[in-house]
Amino acid sequence: MKLTYNKIFFCIFALLWSGLIICNLAKPEKRFSENENRFLAELPKYTNEKLLNGEFMNGLDEYINDQFVFRDHWISLKTMAERAMLKPDINSVYFAKDDYLIEKHDKSDVSEEQAEKNKERLIEFVKKYVEKLGEDHVNVMLVPTASEILKDKLPPFATGYDQDAYINEVIEALPEGTFIDIRNNFNQHKDEYIYYRTDHHWTALGAFYAYEQWAREAGFTPLSKEQFDITLGSDQFYGTLHSKVNVNVKPDEIYLYQIKKDMNYQLLYNLKDQTDSLYDLSKLEGKDKYSVYMGGNNALVEIKTNNMNGRRLLVIKDSYAHSFVPFAVNHYEETYMIDFRYFNVGVEQFVEENKITDILVLYNTMNFVQDKNSINFLK
């Protein structure tokens, strides 16, 4: 009897695995995951050298994981099983209070050598351009992530990278008055909707509070909320953190701040694509709705306005800047956004050719700490 049960179990198990293998072989290769908003691994090319050094097998393992049939459903099942085991975080995502998914940043995930290099390169860059443009024309803003500001929402015994300590080191080393420290500002507003619940970005409201502080410290009178038409772009936004755990949670809302005054915006993306809007509304139809702000990630974006004051702003940034720049552009004749992940022209040459008068370096702290493209600050 026991032998019969074992045979039945083995046959069922073999059939299931055979079915999965057949489905995986029959399933067309998927290049892009809409749910995870990223390109999936491709089948690695075989060479004897890659096999011997382990690169081929690592690539094959990544390819199988990414292309596995019903991948999104397996992620959901894995999340359910690990939550039942009372794990505090799953796939580096904390299930926090008030339905927040908050990204976990461990010290072990950060290369201290890279973090130190990034800090030193930033300091050298800022000192150089303070001499060129003046101390009132160069600013740095490293934005704490939700795990730093919303600590009271995290589960007990949650750990994380000490962003406060890193920011303090940067402030201490930079020329006085160049760093825009928004931590107190955000702590005062932490009970408001300043970070998305399902995504790693700040919201447009969070960006607005940071803009107000930046404007005052940069010598401008900040625009008020009353000077904008604030509209709901979408109430069905599921962000990057939701994609990591794929659970049933309340979606986020995306708000658009459109200035009432006619600024005659003229935008040029990557020297070829033109538009007259700071928002790409077509992005609201897809998964990556955050890309509605400034069209998402691009190497270079140029924005012209009818504010003919002769001032030109260069923003060196990550994607946190995308919901910030729609406020800042109104104080400049021209604004340029460059992303070191895609931008290969030297900064010095760019500043001279475009007669830049002001510079803002804007990243979320964890992106900056781990950025492997900071060498571009010195080009």
Side-chain angles (χ1 to χ4, degrees):
M1 183 68 72
K2 184 177 179 180
L3 185 63
T4 302
Y5 282 138
N6 287 341
K7 286 182 177 178
I8 293 172
F9 177 80
F10 175 80
C11 289
I12 293 174
F13 183 78
L15 283 171
L16 285 173
W17 271 108
S18 299
L20 285 172
I21 291 170
I22 292 169
C23 287
N24 275 292
L25 291 173
K27 171 180 161 291
E29 184 177 281
K30 194 175 180 181
R31 294 294 309 280
F32 186 81
S33 170
E34 186 76 12
N35 186 50
E36 297 177 70
N37 190 33
R38 69 177 180 89
F39 287 97
L40 300 176
E42 297 181 18
L43 185 65
K45 293 182 179 179
Y46 174 85
T47 65
N48 289 335
E49 182 183 357
K50 287 183 177 180
L51 180 63
L52 292 174
N53 65 22
E55 184 180 341
F56 176 77
M57 294 307 298
N58 288 337
L60 185 62
D61 184 55
E62 184 180 354
Y63 172 78
I64 293 171
N65 284 335
D66 274 6
Q67 299 293 338
F68 202 83
V69 67
F70 308 132
R71 172 179 169 80
D72 292 342
H73 298 289
W74 292 119
I75 291 174
S76 296
L77 286 172
K78 177 177 179 288
T79 299
M80 291 170 61
E82 292 186 351
R83 290 197 74 185
M85 295 166 62
L86 303 180
K87 287 192 65 175
D89 69 278
I90 298 169
N91 204 11
S92 295
V93 176
Y94 285 120
F95 285 79
K97 295 178 183 177
D98 301 323
D99 294 327
Y100 270 80
L101 303 176
I102 297 180
E103 188 169 16
K104 178 183 180 181
H105 303 291
D106 260 341
K107 186 175 182 179
S108 60
D109 297 330
V110 175
S111 164
E112 290 298 333
E113 181 183 359
Q114 186 68 57
E116 186 65 22
K117 281 182 181 179
N118 295 348
K119 182 179 68 175
E120 294 302 324
R121 289 165 179 169
L122 175 65
I123 293 163
E124 184 177 344
F125 172 84
V126 171
K127 288 180 176 178
K128 174 181 177 179
Y129 283 96
V130 162
E131 288 186 9
K132 285 178 175 286
L133 305 177
E135 60 183 14
D136 296 332
H137 293 269
V138 182
N139 291 120
V140 175
M141 186 187 298
L142 298 184
V143 182
T145 64
S147 63
E148 190 69 33
I149 300 297
L150 305 182
K151 286 181 177 178
D152 58 334
K153 295 186 185 297
L154 293 174
F157 312 113
T159 60
Y161 183 80
D162 192 346
Q163 298 179 52
D164 267 340
Y166 188 83
I167 290 173
N168 289 338
E169 290 176 9
V170 172
I171 293 173
E172 185 177 345
L174 286 176
E176 186 175 355
T178 55
F179 193 89
I180 310 295
D181 188 356
I182 68 167
R183 287 176 292 179
N184 287 338
N185 183 355
F186 266 39
N187 279 319
Q188 292 173 13
H189 294 286
K190 66 180 181 180
D191 293 328
E192 300 178 48
Y193 190 42
I194 58 174
Y195 292 98
Y196 292 113
R197 291 183 302 274
T198 71
D199 192 69
H200 68 284
H201 290 102
W202 58 6
T203 64
L205 179 61
F208 179 79
Y209 286 138
Y211 152 75
E212 285 184 312
Q213 182 175 340
W214 164 83
R216 286 191 293 267
E217 296 187 29
F220 300 112
T221 300
L223 300 168
S224 66
K225 287 182 184 177
E226 289 69 32
Q227 291 175 272
F228 293 89
D229 286 322
I230 304 174
T231 59
L232 177 64
S234 174
D235 60 1
Q236 293 297 315
F237 174 42
Y238 291 99
T240 54
L241 303 181
H242 175 264
S243 297
K244 287 185 174 184
V245 293
N246 203 25
V247 293
N248 185 22
V249 293
K250 181 181 178 182
D252 274 301
E253 298 172 342
I254 286 185
Y255 286 92
L256 311 178
Y257 286 60
Q258 296 175 307
I259 194 167
K260 294 176 182 178
K261 180 182 177 182
D262 181 15
M263 297 299 295
N264 191 29
Y265 297 126
Q266 299 174 53
L267 282 75
L268 183 64
Y269 289 95
N270 302 320
L271 302 178
K272 58 181 182 179
D273 299 321
Q274 298 182 27
T275 181
D276 59 0
S277 175
L278 300 174
Y279 300 107
D280 183 351
L281 299 181
S282 69
K283 302 295 186 183
L284 295 175
E285 302 302 318
K287 163 72 175 176
D288 183 20
K289 294 180 179 7
Y290 184 79
S291 289
V292 67
Y293 299 110
M294 306 300 304
N297 293 319
N298 290 278
L300 171 65
V301 182
E302 174 185 344
I303 309 107
K304 294 183 178 180
T305 73
N306 57 16
N307 185 357
M308 310 301 289
N309 60 6
R311 298 188 69 168
R312 297 175 178 84
L313 173 67
L314 171 62
V315 182
I316 301 173
K317 56 79 188 180
D318 66 7
S319 55
Y320 263 53
H322 299 172
S323 50
F324 176 95
V325 167
F327 303 116
V329 294
N330 301 294
H331 299 284
Y332 291 91
E333 184 174 331
E334 296 179 11
T335 299
Y336 300 85
M337 298 167 56
I338 62 175
D339 190 322
F340 281 158
R341 291 171 295 178
Y342 318 108
F343 186 83
N344 296 316
V345 179
V347 174
E348 186 170 14
Q349 176 187 343
F350 188 88
V351 167
E352 291 176 0
E353 289 181 352
N354 293 282
K355 298 180 173 61
I356 298 299
T357 62
D358 299 81
I359 293 176
L360 171 64
V361 177
L362 197 167
Y363 286 76
N364 95 49
T365 305
M366 294 310 304
N367 274 354
F368 183 80
V369 165
Q370 301 173 88
D371 187 20
K372 295 182 179 179
N373 301 291
S374 63
I375 189 64
N376 292 319
F377 278 116
L378 307 183
K379 291 183 178 180

